Amino acid sequence: MSALLDGDLSEASRMAGVSLTEYFVTDRARWLWQFRLDQMVTDPGHAHWMVRQAVIGDEGLVVGHAGFHGPPDEAGMVEIGYSIAPDFRRQGYARSTLIELLGRAAAEPAVTTVRATISPDNVASLATISGFGFVEVGEQWDDEDGLELVFEAPARRVPPAWGKGSRQKAEL
C-alpha cells in the first residue's frame, strides 16, 4: 500500500506478485490505501482483514480490490467493501468477488453478520448483492460517500443464488 501511495505501480506489483493497473493509484484508491495503512498502524493484527487485490483466472488478471473494513465487532459483524476497475465491470467480477468475501466471512467463527453499505444510486452494487440474503436494515451518512443504504446478511447462510451466473472465480 505504501508503494501505491507513492504511485510506484512497478514496486507495488512486484510486492503483490501480480500486475496492478492504474486503477490502484487513482485519487480514490490512494485515499483507501492511506486509510487502511492508518488502521494497520493502530492495530497491526487487523491487517489480514484489510483490502486485497481481486484476481481472476490462472493468468492472475487483477480486476479490482476487495476486503473487509476491519475485524468483526463485538457483535460479530464485518463490513465488506469491493471495487472493480471500470474496464472489468458488467462481466460478473463483482459477483465473484462478493462470493469470495462471503465465503471468507463464513469461514471465520467470530463472524455472525456481514454488512454491505451502498449508495442508493449505485444500481450495479445493489444488483450485485441481490440474491445473497442481504436485507436492508437502515441507512447512514458517510462523510466520504454520502448517503448509504445498510444491508446485512447472516454470515453462514448459503442462498441458492451463490455460484449461479458467475463466469469467473475471484481470489483475494
Side-chain angles (χ1 to χ4, degrees):
M1 285 187 234
S2 295
L4 290 172
L5 277 173
D6 293 339
D8 190 345
L9 274 177
S10 177
E11 178 62 10
S13 294
R14 184 191 69 72
M15 293 175 76
V18 293
S19 182
L20 302 174
T21 67
E22 292 290 326
Y23 186 63
F24 282 78
V25 291
T26 63
D27 288 342
R28 177 85 173 146
R30 285 183 177 180
W31 175 89
L32 179 63
W33 310 143
Q34 186 61 63
F35 185 77
R36 296 298 181 222
L37 280 171
D38 291 346
Q39 282 182 299
M40 287 186 267
V41 166
T42 302
D43 192 335
H46 293 176
H48 75 278
W49 288 97
M50 300 301 166
V51 67
R52 300 167 188 249
Q53 63 272 8
V55 181
I56 304 295
D58 296 335
E59 298 82 38
L61 177 66
V62 179
V63 298
H65 50 82
F68 300 93
H69 291 232
D73 67 12
E74 60 281 346
M77 186 275 297
V78 292
E79 185 172 343
I80 58 171
Y82 55 89
S83 184
I84 304 300
D87 290 348
F88 299 107
R89 292 179 182 160
R90 303 195 55 80
Q91 298 177 48
Y93 297 126
R95 186 175 176 82
S96 296
T97 301
L98 176 60
I99 290 167
E100 181 68 18
L101 286 170
L102 292 172
R104 285 183 177 237
E108 291 286 339
V111 177
T112 59
T113 304
V114 178
R115 175 177 285 175
T117 57
I118 302 171
S119 165
D121 299 330
N122 191 337
V123 176
S125 281
L126 292 169
T128 298
I129 68 164
S130 177
F132 286 91
F134 282 93
V135 174
E136 186 175 342
V137 296
E139 59 184 45
Q140 68 183 20
W141 184 262
D142 183 272
D143 289 338
E144 189 67 27
D145 298 323
L147 179 64
E148 297 176 326
L149 302 176
V150 179
F151 297 88
E152 293 183 352
R156 286 165 191 76
R157 179 165 180 233
V158 182
W162 284 32
K164 290 184 182 176
S166 292
R167 295 183 288 200
Q168 304 287 340
K169 176 165 178 5
E171 293 181 26
L172 300 178

